[in-house]
Amino acid sequence: MPAKKGSTARKPSIKAKSGAKSKAPPKKNASASKKAPTSVPAKKKDPKKSKIPEYLEVPTLEDDDLVVSDEDMQFFEEHGDFTGFLKSMDKKAISKNDAIVKKPVARAPAASVPEPAELTASEDEDSDLDGDDNLPPLSSSEDEMEDVEDEEDVPESDEDMEEDDRYAGSDEEQDYEMKPRKVSSEWTKKDKFTKLPIKLPGGKWEQAAEDEYSDDDEEKEEPVPEIDSELSEIEMEDPVETLEPKKKTFVARKEELAQIASTIMEDPESNIGLLRTLKAISEDKNPKVAQLALLTQLAVYKDIVPGYRIRQLTEKEEAMEVSRDVKKVRAFEQTLLASYQAYLTDLEQISKRKPAEDSEDLEDKNAMVATQCMCQLLTNLTHFNFRLNLMTAVIAKMSTVHWTKTAEICCNAIIEVFRHDETGEASLDAVKLISRMVKSKGYLINESVINTFLHLRLKDELPPVADNDGENMKGKKRPKSNRPHISKKQRKVMKENKEVEKEMKEAEEVVTKEEKDKTHTETLKLVFACYFRVLKHHQTSKLLPAVLEGLAKFAHLISIDFFRDLLEAMKAVMHSGANTEDSEQAPLTAADTRRRLLCSITAFQLLSGQGEALNLDLQDFYTEIYRLLLPMSLDPHITDAPGGQDTNESNGSARPTKSALESEAELLTKGLELMFLKKRHISIPRAAAFIKRFSTSALNMPDNVIQHYLTFVKKLLTREPRLDALVQSEDKAGNGVYLPTLDDPELCNPFATSLYELYLYQNHYDPNIRSLAKSLAAFQPVGKIVKA
Amino acid sequence: MAKLKKSTVKFQKNHLKQTIERRKKQQKVNRAFKKRQESRNRGDRPNENGHASEEKTDAAEGKKSGSLDISKLNVSDFLNVDCLLNDEEALELNDDNEADLDILDTFKGIEDINLPEQAEDPNEEESDDEMDEAEEGSTIVTKEMLQEWIKRLEQTPTINSLKDILLTFRAMSLMDEKYNTSCRYQINSETVFMKVLATVLDTAPLLINANLIPKKQGGPTSSSKWGELQPVARLYCNSLLRILHDVADDELYEVLLEQTNTLVSYIAVLPLARKAYVKILLKLWSSPMVSSPVRLQCMKNLCNLSSVPIGDKTQKKSTLLSHVLKCVYITYARNGQQVFEESPSALDEMRTSAVSIYRANDRHAFQHAAVYVQQLTQHLETATKSKTKETMKVVLSWQYLNCLKFWATIVGVICSTAAQEGAKPSQLSEITYSLVQISTQLIRLNPSVQFLPLRFHLIRMLIDLAKVTETYIPLAPYLFELFNLAEVRSKPKPGSMPSLDWSIIIKAPKEYLHGKVYQNEILKELHSCLIEYYACYGLSIAFPELAIPAVVELSVQQQRAKNPHFMRQIQTLKEKLEEQSRYIQQQRSQIEYNPTNQTEALAFMRNATIDQTPLGNLVKSQKRAQANRKSHK
């Protein structure tokens, strides 16, 4: 820990000195570079200083000074040598000019090297994360390879950068870096690329061929009209009050923006400097112009950012002489990175702006645009540098209790990231950040945040725990017994082959299943940790439905050891509302009903798969659903998607995430199926009681529920011929009286009555239900036929 | 009392009734005549005639320029045009000429027709106020001339002698029109008017009928003399229709309607006449100014007309039915746009009377119902999707509600009578599903408090539908939902506003919202709807099951209710439901119920009436209370 604090303290001094010692760079650069170093720390400090109560920042320094998580400790154990490195670092840095200082900061999250910036908890986690994903992908190895290959003289402009890179390097890193490079250089000698990769419609990256140039042109032109449409949109909003000259300058600005954008896109490598101009325009006083500039930059970056992550060059690489082409590429990359970071900093700052007090809007328009830009960048350039910074900013926006449009956009962006995440790494990062945010906010957030977890690609891609274990066990045993004999020579060849194959795979950037599983498991752990914490400590929280839904969805991935605790927790949750209910005689609210249903369903789902081995008593859950059936019957909204009543109309945009949730009626049928159809052994009186009560309450329910009910009963009758006593009168199984209002399925004596409701169902206004009911009435179970 | 003279007795015996009737008729006509004169002088006409005068002048000037006619629309056209067509009152009856009657100079009519005796009208001597000077080219018919014509008619009762009277009759019918100069005769006295009318009505149909005896199973066209006499019949029919269109008197309507009903076979084969006839009948049928017997008669005439073959050469058996059905619905829909104090009953009458015509042909009725209900569904769908103000306005309107009610009545009545008579079930029962779907969707479309009256209208409609068709429609959730409304739960603002008549509103006025009056009204409606709904299934074998959730919910609500009066009401309702449940349970324990066997369930309580059951008593007392309230008002 001391290292951490030390570094925080030291940082400002670097800047002060570097500022003083800086050479006088060209005018334009000066303004840009001066801004950058100041703006970067500002961005990072803001979390602490800003007094925006609405937004929660990613865990702050104070927070983590007090509570050091296990992860942090672990990190420092693993990377203990880094701390020493940190101490020795800044001396070199003192001699840097400001342009150089800017870069390491800018690159911080991208490089695996922890740098002497303030290490807040989140940041050191960031670097931790980055360490993992620094496996050399194809693209980065390729540009390294180019470095090695070309041995042309270096243009002057790159000197700064080289120095900078030297500073960033470390011995360990170099060894690590060297390995793949050798191989890849050999490998790529066959076909040398001079072009940047292009993105294919499927989201994969491919090296552009020489003759595809014309296609490129077309592609590049596309974003321009897009910007134009955005321009015109904003122009439409523009009130007429603008005076004539103002209008003229606005139009001129617009044209300027379009001009610059198209110039950059035509040839990004030589016109990269123009990005600064764009940035300058984005600071225009006219909010419209600023918005336009932001959007233009968005489009430009989306277009010119390469399909790989730009890696910090090691010292050795710096020292190596490289060809002019490589130099050019490097210069391009560094400038791009720097201006990209500057852009992000701007965006983040703008997005934090509060609306003017006199304006009626809840959110500042520029802030809105900035947030949109960030979300777009996050979803489109997930692979690129500064992903974590982007995510942090976006997730911070989601922490509002009052669900705003901005939060909605951010949420959707995160969902998008989850959905399109092939490797699982981005998801892991996002989940980490979200769970931190949720924790520090004290679980007082909108449930949509938790609902984003539902879109993780865990369910399909991660095999269930039990199955996985079993397969592994089998897989280990079998090969041993019947493995063919292999000679030493063969083994050697095989080993070599394996290595080659491994490298090939790495080069292909195909994520292996194991790696994927690893990241997924990590993600899952975080998600469950979040869920369990809510279950145990925040039983009345609004997040509960979301959590239960999540648990139900990922039930098959939960380890069996947790089951007992989990069920206990859910029972507690289920009965938590009961006490208040009895005293006030208030009817169950929709949320209450939902919570109970979800609890029960989750419980049954947990026990339906691997849980069948455990013989746990679920009586409580049966009774709960049984009790719920009657009041639900008179609720006309049971087929509506949840949340319809809670959200006010202004939040109409909040629909898409809501529709992912199931309505109460769907939950009910799902629950019943889990209870009776999916289980091996069912208690006959209990099933009969449920059939009778469900048929009573379904009388008042909408058509589709009745249809579900009737098919359910039919299935159940087919399975259990003894239930036929409800339909047939000849053999009344039970004596005594049926107690329709008793809330206990075990004691209500269902066999004393008959399914009189079928009469009404056979006269139902819906012809489908009529025919279903008729077929049910005419139903003859297999056992019956045998008897007859 | 002095003994009556023999002649008086004879007169009493034979002619008194007739004479009195005629006198009455005449008085009415006089009044109508005067009224018309006045209104013409004033330059406008009574309300229901609207733009008629203008349009008539239009029609007179540019007859050939065919204006938009309902009858020209086929179903798909109608769907595009929507049901909001403008009222069309101009009669396009211009195919008769005076020259038509010249044929009578040479025509050899059938003789020996017994004409009814013309009773002398003692009122004849009444002073006549002579009116406008005769215009050039036409003679004013005087009493003397008329006497002479009648005498001639009595002497030689053939159709030929009718010529002058018919000409006068035509002139009479054209009095309103601008082209009455073209007539040979003119009338300026009410007495003459009445006299001509009476004579013509009595004699003309007889004479025409006698001359045009149709061949077996054919229309009048099959008669051998049709070719010659067609202009005469046409002239007569046209004149009759014109007069029917112009008069404004209930009794005269009845007489004229009866008259036209006998002539229906002629009208049906005259294209222009039948179009005009349908229009007139629909106008009278839908007019709230006309007494209900007249309107019923109109519907009867329409039925009659639509059952007569129209004698197209291509399709021998084609009738006007489809066209008439369409027009009936459109007319109804147009009338249902707005609802005033007296219109609910008028619309109700229209609905029930329209049943008779839809009953005529099940296939046609189903086709029409399906198309128009589909159209209603489409409106609702667009409203649900777009949720714009305009689309919502379309469905949350009286017209929409009235159209729904129309089909509900048609479907309900036809299906239930079919079931009673043991006939094969009507195809119309398939419409029930769509109607219920539309209604429930409409209820959910705008659940705001303001539209509660609409919800109650719909629920009552569905309850009625369920009752007559004996289908099960779950409505309880929509009623019990109201218990939890803030409007019902919260303490109302005190206020002393006049109570609302829920039968004529679908949307509560803003000033009533959150008021005590409104809350009480809601509770009252809710209570009565609950009673009606459960009484509807009171005799069903599954009633105890149906009542279980209701009883549970009611006992919860009873404890929460703040209004003591309402609490008591809920209490009684709950008790009655329980009693009824016990009663049914007791009854059904006696039979061997078996869900597989519907006959038992169907026969169950078939012979009992709800009135003797606990719930039935509640319904009765409820009805009594309602009647009391109405009489108080």
Side-chain angles (χ1 to χ4, degrees):
Chain A
M1 280 311 96
K4 207 176 169 188
K5 280 180 184 168
S7 66
T8 5
R10 232 170 287 139
K11 180 67 188 173
S13 68
I14 300 168
K15 247 174 267 149
K17 281 174 191 172
S18 63
K21 287 193 178 182
S22 62
K23 304 172 211 164
K27 216 182 175 186
K28 237 182 188 176
N29 279 353
S31 63
S33 55
K34 261 181 199 165
K35 243 163 232 159
T38 45
S39 60
V40 170
K43 170 187 112 192
K44 284 173 183 165
K45 275 175 188 170
D46 259 3
K48 284 163 262 164
K49 283 182 184 169
S50 71
K51 286 168 189 171
I52 307 167
E54 259 187 309
Y55 295 120
L56 161 105
E57 294 310 331
V58 187
T60 56
L61 179 67
E62 300 91 284
D63 223 79
D64 269 60
D65 270 343
L66 298 173
V67 187
V68 179
S69 73
D70 292 354
E71 286 161 325
D72 297 343
M73 288 305 290
Q74 201 187 340
F75 170 74
F76 274 95
E77 273 164 43
E78 282 169 12
H79 308 269
D81 39 354
F82 283 168
T83 51
F85 162 74
L86 288 173
K87 273 177 193 163
S88 63
M89 270 261 300
D90 48 338
K91 282 165 200 164
K92 280 182 203 166
I94 293 167
S95 61
K96 296 281 171 288
N97 68 18
D98 51 359
I100 299 161
V101 174
K102 173 188 91 192
K103 278 164 195 166
V105 180
R107 240 173 266 145
S112 61
V113 187
E115 39 90 72
E118 322 155 71
L119 282 178
T120 59
S122 66
E123 259 173 54
D124 87 35
E125 176 127 349
D126 297 354
S127 49
D128 179 19
L129 298 173
D130 274 14
D132 294 340
D133 66 9
N134 217 6
L135 299 160
L138 165 70
S139 45
S140 62
S141 65
E142 166 212 327
D143 80 1
E144 279 154 26
M145 164 273 296
E146 277 178 303
D147 301 349
V148 183
E149 249 175 76
D150 305 304
E151 292 181 315
E152 305 271 308
D153 40 345
V154 183
E156 285 179 338
S157 61
D158 279 4
E159 271 175 18
D160 290 357
M161 196 183 60
E162 268 180 51
E163 274 177 28
D164 161 34
D165 287 343
R166 207 175 300 130
Y167 136 80
S170 103
D171 289 18
E172 269 188 14
E173 192 85 16
Q174 277 175 2
D175 283 348
Y176 172 73
E177 292 283 328
M178 290 304 283
K179 261 190 194 168
R181 221 182 306 144
K182 250 186 204 162
V183 182
S184 56
S185 66
E186 279 170 13
W187 178 60
T188 39
K189 251 173 195 167
K190 293 163 204 162
D191 38 15
K192 184 173 127 191
F193 297 124
T194 54
K195 293 233 166 282
L196 287 172
I198 53 158
K199 194 178 184 183
L200 295 179
K204 299 221 167 159
W205 293 91
E206 200 182 65
Q207 190 65 47
E210 281 300 317
D211 47 355
E212 270 181 89
Y213 198 76
S214 54
D215 291 1
D216 275 13
D217 271 1
E218 277 170 22
E219 270 180 57
K220 273 167 196 166
E221 270 162 25
E222 275 173 356
V224 182
E226 184 190 325
I227 298 163
D228 283 351
S229 68
E230 276 161 355
L231 290 179
S232 55
E233 249 172 57
I234 291 171
E235 202 181 17
M236 293 292 280
E237 291 168 18
D238 205 329
V240 200
E241 36 98 348
T242 45
L243 299 164
E244 237 350 78
K246 226 176 172 182
K247 216 173 186 177
K248 256 185 194 166
T249 51
F250 182 63
V251 172
R253 282 294 201 177
K254 241 166 60 179
E255 273 167 15
E256 193 186 343
L257 281 172
Q259 185 64 43
I260 295 172
S262 55
T263 326
I264 297 177
M265 285 186 213
E266 264 166 30
D267 188 1
E269 295 199 13
S270 46
N271 294 324
I272 191 77
L274 284 172
L275 284 173
R276 295 212 179 99
T277 334
L278 279 182
K279 184 178 151 41
I281 296 176
S282 73
E283 277 146 25
D284 197 288
K285 273 178 192 163
N286 187 348
K288 302 269 166 224
V289 175
Q291 279 175 21
L292 284 183
L294 289 179
L295 289 170
T296 317
Q297 288 186 70
L298 170 69
V300 170
Y301 280 117
K302 262 160 87 175
D303 193 65
I304 64 169
V305 162
Y308 52 87
R309 163 172 283 200
I310 296 175
R311 190 184 48 85
Q312 186 120 28
L313 294 177
T314 57
E315 229 167 82
K316 224 173 184 180
E317 285 168 333
E318 291 282 328
M320 235 178 264
E321 295 218 348
V322 289
S323 71
R324 195 190 290 153
D325 283 355
V326 175
K327 275 254 164 80
K328 204 176 161 195
V329 169
R330 279 189 191 174
F332 166 70
E333 284 178 352
Q334 297 311 324
T335 335
L336 175 65
L337 215 52
S339 36
Y340 185 54
Q341 191 192 17
Y343 175 52
L344 291 187
T345 319
D346 279 357
L347 280 182
E348 198 175 346
Q349 270 174 343
I350 293 169
S351 73
K352 278 176 188 156
R353 265 185 218 164
K354 291 226 117 195
E357 281 182 9
D358 52 330
S359 76
E360 286 173 17
D361 298 334
L362 286 169
E363 286 146 343
D364 187 64
K365 267 203 178 146
N366 277 21
M368 249 321 238
V369 172
T371 320
Q372 262 167 346
C373 288
M374 286 201 288
C375 292
Q376 288 257 338
L377 286 176
L378 181 60
T379 48
N380 284 307
L381 304 177
T382 322
H383 65 282
F384 198 56
N385 303 37
F386 308 116
R387 178 177 73 200
L388 272 166
N389 300 34
L390 268 174
M391 272 187 187
T392 316
V394 167
I395 286 170
K397 288 258 159 210
M398 282 158 54
S399 64
T400 54
V401 179
H402 299 290
W403 203 232
T404 56
K405 216 173 174 191
T406 327
E408 176 68 34
I409 296 167
C410 293
C411 234
N412 286 339
I414 292 288
I415 289 172
E416 196 73 358
V417 170
F418 284 159
R419 278 204 186 130
H420 297 290
D421 186 18
E422 295 282 347
T423 62
E425 281 163 21
S427 304
L428 180 59
D429 294 354
V431 170
K432 263 186 193 172
L433 290 171
I434 291 177
S435 66
R436 260 165 191 288
M437 183 269 281
V438 171
K439 210 197 294 179
S440 62
K441 189 78 187 180
Y443 295 91
L444 287 173
I445 45 159
N446 196 290
E447 61 174 346
S448 307
V449 177
I450 298 292
N451 278 335
T452 52
F453 289 157
L454 293 179
H455 300 273
L456 281 169
R457 298 166 60 149
L458 296 174
K459 193 172 178 176
D460 317 313
E461 295 188 356
L462 201 61
V465 194
D467 297 351
N468 204 12
D469 286 351
E471 264 172 40
N472 282 357
M473 291 296 282
K474 279 175 201 162
K476 267 175 197 165
K477 271 178 194 169
R478 233 181 248 161
K480 260 184 193 175
S481 56
N482 52 1
R483 188 183 287 165
H485 178 71
I486 304 165
S487 74
K488 238 180 188 177
K489 219 177 184 180
Q490 273 177 317
R491 212 165 274 175
K492 210 177 168 187
V493 173
M494 263 172 67
K495 211 174 178 184
E496 270 172 26
N497 278 351
K498 250 185 199 168
E499 222 157 86
V500 172
E501 263 173 36
K502 197 180 161 196
E503 277 154 12
M504 289 292 278
K505 261 185 195 165
E506 271 169 16
E508 277 167 22
E509 212 184 333
V510 172
V511 197
T512 57
K513 202 170 177 317
E514 291 90 62
E515 271 173 52
K516 215 167 165 184
D517 283 354
K518 211 173 138 195
T519 41
H520 276 334
T521 321
E522 195 72 14
T523 316
L524 193 66
K525 258 188 212 161
L526 282 167
V527 171
F528 279 150
C530 186
Y531 282 169
F532 291 164
R533 227 165 273 146
V534 175
L535 259 190
K536 290 231 161 165
H537 306 300
H538 305 270
Q539 294 179 345
T540 48
S541 160
K542 275 187 182 173
L543 299 178
L544 212 70
V547 165
L548 288 170
E549 217 138 328
L551 274 178
K553 181 160 184 189
F554 300 124
H556 61 297
L557 300 172
I558 302 175
S559 164
I560 202 160
D561 307 331
F562 292 126
F563 277 17
R564 254 170 237 281
D565 290 343
L566 207 53
L567 287 180
E568 280 310 310
M570 283 200 290
K571 263 182 212 170
V573 169
M574 216 163 59
H575 298 302
S576 61
N579 298 331
T580 52
E581 182 217 348
D582 287 338
S583 56
E584 286 175 26
Q585 271 293 344
L588 289 173
T589 59
D592 256 345
T593 319
R594 230 181 129 60
R595 195 181 67 213
R596 285 155 191 235
L597 272 176
L598 274 171
C599 273
S600 314
I601 288 175
T602 316
F604 288 117
Q605 231 156 24
L606 281 177
L607 290 194
S608 67
Q610 33 169 348
E612 285 218 335
L614 288 172
N615 201 8
L616 291 174
D617 182 27
L618 292 177
Q619 165 92 44
D620 282 4
F621 296 104
Y622 279 113
T623 316
E624 196 58 45
I625 291 195
Y626 189 76
R627 189 181 300 161
L628 282 173
L629 269 172
L630 216 46
M632 273 178 80
S633 103
L634 288 177
D635 179 6
H637 298 291
I638 54 165
T639 45
D640 296 352
Q645 295 135 309
D646 303 335
T647 47
N648 43 2
E649 305 234 327
S650 61
N651 275 356
S653 57
R655 288 280 144 77
T657 45
K658 296 276 191 235
S659 61
L661 305 178
E662 288 157 312
S663 75
E664 281 143 50
E666 280 166 340
L667 287 176
L668 185 65
T669 38
K670 202 170 146 196
L672 286 171
E673 268 176 28
L674 278 172
M675 280 191 299
F676 295 109
L677 296 178
K678 297 250 167 86
K679 292 201 85 182
R680 259 177 237 144
H681 307 289
I682 52 173
S683 133
I684 297 294
R686 187 190 275 163
F690 266 95
I691 290 181
K692 178 65 185 168
R693 175 162 282 203
F694 195 13
S695 66
T696 303
S697 55
L699 270 181
N700 290 315
M701 289 183 181
D703 312 346
N704 43 3
V705 187
I706 302 184
Q707 286 187 24
H708 281 303
Y709 154 72
L710 289 171
T711 40
F712 166 72
V713 172
K714 200 167 176 187
K715 273 186 210 159
L716 209 51
L717 284 183
T718 331
R719 245 194 81 171
E720 292 291 338
R722 274 192 287 160
L723 290 172
D724 196 37
L726 283 174
V727 187
Q728 311 293 335
S729 64
E730 301 108 57
D731 38 68
K732 278 241 160 66
N735 297 316
V737 199
Y738 167 65
L739 298 170
T741 48
L742 189 73
D743 279 336
D744 190 337
E746 316 293 328
L747 303 175
C748 66
N749 195 10
F751 284 113
T753 182
S754 189
L755 278 187
Y756 290 102
E757 290 90 344
L758 273 181
Y759 170 71
L760 282 182
Y761 288 128
Q762 288 179 59
N763 289 313
H764 197 273
Y765 75 91
D766 186 342
N768 292 330
I769 291 174
R770 276 205 298 268
S771 57
L772 262 176
K774 269 175 195 146
S775 79
L776 182 61
F779 177 74
Q780 287 289 333
V782 187
K784 265 266 133 47
I785 294 167
V786 172
K787 244 190 219 171
Chain B
M1 215 157 119
K3 201 182 172 232
L4 292 170
K5 268 194 264 172
K6 200 181 174 188
S7 63
T8 322
V9 176
K10 200 179 172 191
F11 179 77
Q12 274 176 341
K13 204 167 143 195
N14 293 332
H15 305 294
L16 180 64
K17 217 174 165 188
Q18 224 177 340
T19 317
I20 291 172
E21 250 172 45
R22 200 172 298 130
R23 274 183 211 165
K24 272 187 191 159
K25 225 183 276 177
Q26 194 183 6
Q27 281 162 2
K28 296 269 181 189
V29 172
N30 289 350
R31 245 178 280 144
F33 193 82
K34 267 183 193 156
K35 209 168 147 192
R36 222 172 50 218
Q37 292 286 344
E38 278 164 25
S39 64
R40 208 177 327 160
N41 294 343
R42 259 187 278 120
D44 60 3
R45 316 188 75 205
N47 190 21
E48 83 264 32
N49 283 351
H51 325 279
S53 53
E54 286 170 40
E55 273 169 329
K56 246 168 233 163
T57 52
D58 286 351
E61 283 156 15
K63 286 172 218 158
K64 298 295 171 208
S65 65
S67 49
L68 188 66
D69 193 337
I70 310 163
S71 53
K72 278 176 195 150
L73 299 166
N74 59 30
V75 173
S76 61
D77 279 345
F78 170 66
L79 285 177
N80 293 333
V81 176
D82 203 336
C83 41
L84 303 169
L85 282 169
N86 280 323
D87 208 5
E88 180 99 19
E89 292 198 24
L91 293 180
E92 291 181 358
L93 290 173
N94 49 314
D95 56 348
D96 55 329
N97 290 312
E98 297 212 324
D100 291 343
L101 288 183
D102 294 343
I103 190 135
L104 290 181
D105 297 338
T106 54
F107 182 74
K108 194 170 179 307
I110 289 168
E111 294 178 20
D112 308 327
I113 299 163
N114 288 322
L115 291 175
E117 261 180 69
Q118 295 291 312
E120 288 298 308
D121 197 332
N123 279 1
E124 251 175 56
E125 303 310 320
E126 244 177 45
S127 66
D128 263 353
D129 16 337
E130 297 277 318
M131 278 174 288
D132 331 328
E133 291 291 301
E135 284 165 56
E136 279 174 46
S138 54
T139 345
I140 292 174
V141 179
T142 58
K143 258 178 270 179
E144 290 74 40
M145 286 165 77
L146 189 60
Q147 286 296 347
E148 197 180 311
W149 290 339
I150 293 173
K151 207 174 274 169
R152 194 169 67 207
L153 188 64
E154 275 164 359
Q155 282 159 6
T156 54
T158 59
I159 196 159
N160 312 49
S161 1
L162 206 60
K163 183 184 170 189
D164 285 319
I165 301 182
L166 276 179
L167 281 176
T168 324
F169 187 56
R170 179 167 179 274
M172 267 160 55
S173 74
L174 287 170
M175 271 209 305
D176 272 353
E177 328 281 326
K178 283 212 165 171
Y179 44 65
N180 57 355
T181 43
S182 66
C183 298
R184 193 184 301 168
Y185 299 110
Q186 235 193 341
I187 285 188
N188 57 5
S189 122
E190 278 176 49
T191 333
V192 178
F193 183 93
M194 282 316 295
K195 189 87 181 164
V196 172
L197 192 61
T199 319
V200 168
L201 289 186
D202 282 346
T203 55
L206 282 175
L207 289 169
I208 294 174
N209 276 338
N211 281 301
L212 286 171
I213 295 165
K215 284 174 189 159
K216 268 178 203 171
Q217 291 170 349
T221 38
S222 61
S223 162
S224 54
K225 288 173 185 162
W226 174 249
E228 291 168 279
L229 268 186
Q230 187 209 8
V232 182
R234 190 168 57 208
L235 181 136
Y236 176 64
C237 290
N238 286 359
S239 309
L240 195 60
L241 291 178
R242 275 192 288 258
I243 287 183
L244 178 64
H245 180 246
D246 283 347
V247 291
D249 174 84
D250 283 347
E251 282 188 40
L252 203 56
Y253 275 138
E254 274 183 69
V255 176
L256 288 170
L257 284 171
E258 259 170 53
Q259 174 80 208
T260 47
N261 208 8
T262 57
L263 289 171
V264 77
S265 54
Y266 300 107
I267 294 175
V269 292
L270 300 167
L272 280 180
R274 72 170 177 246
K275 266 185 207 167
Y277 186 47
V278 170
K279 278 186 205 162
I280 294 168
L281 287 178
L282 286 173
K283 195 198 87 188
L284 287 179
W285 174 65
S286 65
S287 160
M289 315 287 180
V290 185
S291 76
S292 53
V294 175
R295 297 168 52 183
L296 280 178
Q297 181 67 39
C298 282
M299 195 33 87
K300 259 183 223 157
N301 285 11
L302 274 174
C303 286
N304 216 343
L305 174 68
S306 53
S307 64
V308 172
I310 51 175
D312 265 2
K313 263 160 204 155
T314 47
Q315 295 160 296
K316 281 244 160 151
K317 284 192 176 168
S318 68
T319 59
L320 274 179
L321 183 61
S322 176
H323 169 70
V324 171
L325 288 181
K326 207 187 304 169
C327 296
V328 163
Y329 177 63
I330 294 170
T331 317
Y332 171 83
R334 208 186 297 144
N335 268 279
Q337 275 168 345
Q338 252 148 15
V339 165
F340 307 104
E341 200 96 12
E342 61 283 320
S343 44
S345 58
L347 287 170
D348 214 39
E349 219 169 72
M350 281 170 86
R351 277 197 291 274
T352 39
S353 59
V355 170
S356 59
I357 195 162
Y358 276 88
R359 192 181 281 158
N361 184 327
D362 198 46
R363 195 176 55 83
H364 269 110
F366 174 71
Q367 213 173 1
H368 279 254
V371 166
Y372 291 115
V373 170
Q374 173 66 26
Q375 189 201 16
L376 293 175
T377 318
Q378 273 170 2
H379 278 301
L380 188 60
E381 263 168 22
T382 43
T384 324
K385 264 185 210 146
S386 66
K387 296 229 163 178
T388 59
K389 219 174 174 184
E390 292 76 41
T391 49
M392 292 287 261
K393 228 179 189 172
V394 172
V395 290
L396 295 172
S397 68
W398 266 116
Q399 193 176 34
Y400 197 81
L401 175 67
N402 279 328
C403 290
L404 275 179
K405 280 185 174 177
F406 183 84
W407 295 115
T409 315
I410 301 279
V411 170
V413 175
I414 292 182
C415 289
S416 67
T417 46
Q420 273 167 18
E421 288 157 11
K424 81 171 194 326
S426 166
Q427 224 184 338
L428 277 173
S429 57
E430 287 168 34
I431 304 292
T432 320
Y433 176 69
S434 329
L435 284 175
V436 177
Q437 284 287 315
I438 293 177
S439 312
T440 48
Q441 265 183 48
L442 195 55
I443 288 175
R444 297 164 67 134
L445 180 64
N446 194 339
S448 77
V449 192
Q450 240 188 328
F451 278 98
L452 277 186
L454 175 66
R455 176 189 288 228
F456 283 118
H457 278 296
L458 288 169
I459 288 178
R460 278 179 199 280
M461 181 190 96
L462 289 182
I463 291 176
D464 287 340
L465 186 62
K467 214 184 284 176
V468 291
T469 55
E470 292 186 348
T471 47
Y472 173 66
I473 305 174
L475 293 172
Y478 302 107
L479 289 169
F480 279 100
E481 187 192 16
L482 301 179
F483 279 110
N484 297 326
L485 279 184
E487 183 79 23
V488 174
R489 308 268 318 128
S490 61
K491 206 165 187 279
K493 280 186 271 174
S496 55
M497 272 175 280
S499 65
L500 287 165
D501 184 0
W502 282 52
S503 61
I504 57 163
I505 54 167
I506 51 169
K507 184 183 169 188
K510 270 231 166 79
E511 55 270 22
Y512 275 88
L513 294 185
H514 317 303
K516 198 169 170 62
V517 181
Y518 192 50
Q519 195 186 52
N520 284 341
E521 296 275 353
I522 293 173
L523 293 180
K524 216 188 289 165
E525 284 287 312
L526 178 56
H527 180 235
S528 73
C529 271
L530 278 174
I531 293 177
E532 269 181 51
Y533 176 66
Y534 283 103
C536 181
Y537 303 106
L539 290 176
S540 162
I541 197 163
F543 180 81
E545 275 77 14
L546 189 65
I548 290 168
V551 169
V552 172
E553 185 70 17
L554 281 176
S555 43
V556 172
Q557 295 301 340
Q558 188 197 338
Q559 281 161 23
R560 296 172 70 208
K562 284 168 187 147
N563 184 335
H565 178 63
F566 186 57
M567 207 178 91
R568 248 176 288 125
Q569 280 185 332
I570 294 180
Q571 169 79 21
T572 35
L573 176 60
K574 193 186 103 189
E575 280 165 8
K576 291 287 176 188
L577 286 180
E578 282 169 342
E579 260 179 67
Q580 182 85 1
S581 287
R582 275 196 294 277
Y583 173 73
I584 296 286
Q585 261 166 345
Q586 190 196 341
Q587 295 286 319
R588 77 182 179 187
S589 68
Q590 291 161 11
I591 64 159
E592 188 78 353
Y593 173 71
N594 184 351
T596 34
N597 192 357
Q598 267 241 299
T599 45
E600 280 283 355
L602 273 175
F604 179 71
M605 305 292 279
R606 181 55 53 180
N607 299 320
T609 49
I610 185 96
D611 293 343
Q612 280 121 39
T613 61
L615 201 57
N617 288 333
L618 188 62
V619 175
K620 263 191 278 176
S621 63
Q622 162 87 4
K623 282 206 175 120
R624 227 176 293 132
Q626 264 172 1
N628 276 347
R629 220 174 298 137
K630 265 201 185 137
S631 61
H632 268 291
K633 272 177 197 171

